[in-house]
Amino acid sequence: MKKGIHPENYRIVAFKDMSNDDVFLTKSTATTNETLDVDGVEYPLVKMEISRTSHPYYTGKSKLVDTAGRIDKFKNKYAKFKK
């Protein structure tokens, strides 16, 4: 392995899934100004919109988000092809 190409500032960071409030700890070099107390220890906090605990691929649950009736428009448009 080449020397001097990997970051030296690895530390344990708390990643928080904002959609379901799940928190997990892992090593990272991500920079953040926020912290979170986990089991009496304060860790740097990185907020995420989606993670392995909320992503439909990993959970097997699909969420249908209909924005401005797009799904209804699609169904109406292609209803004539339905057998």
Side-chain angles (χ1 to χ4, degrees):
M1 225 176 356
K2 290 184 179 180
K3 295 183 187 230
I5 63 170
H6 297 286
E8 298 292 328
N9 61 340
Y10 281 109
R11 68 207 186 289
I12 297 180
V13 176
F15 285 87
K16 183 175 183 180
D17 185 337
M18 300 309 289
S19 64
N20 63 3
D21 292 331
D22 183 47
V23 176
F24 60 94
L25 302 174
T26 188
K27 285 188 172 184
S28 177
T29 60
T31 57
T32 181
N33 295 327
E34 298 179 71
T35 60
L36 179 70
D37 187 50
V38 178
D39 298 329
V41 180
E42 195 169 289
Y43 296 103
L45 172 65
V46 176
K47 294 180 180 177
M48 304 180 338
E49 294 298 319
I50 194 162
S51 72
R52 59 183 168 75
T53 59
S54 63
H55 193 281
Y57 180 81
Y58 296 108
T59 62
K61 297 176 185 173
S62 168
K63 289 184 181 178
L64 183 61
V65 178
D66 187 7
T67 310
R70 292 181 191 169
I71 294 172
D72 290 329
K73 286 181 187 177
F74 178 85
K75 287 181 180 179
N76 290 337
K77 182 177 180 180
Y78 292 100
K80 60 185 172 189
F81 298 111
K82 191 174 182 181
K83 292 182 180 183

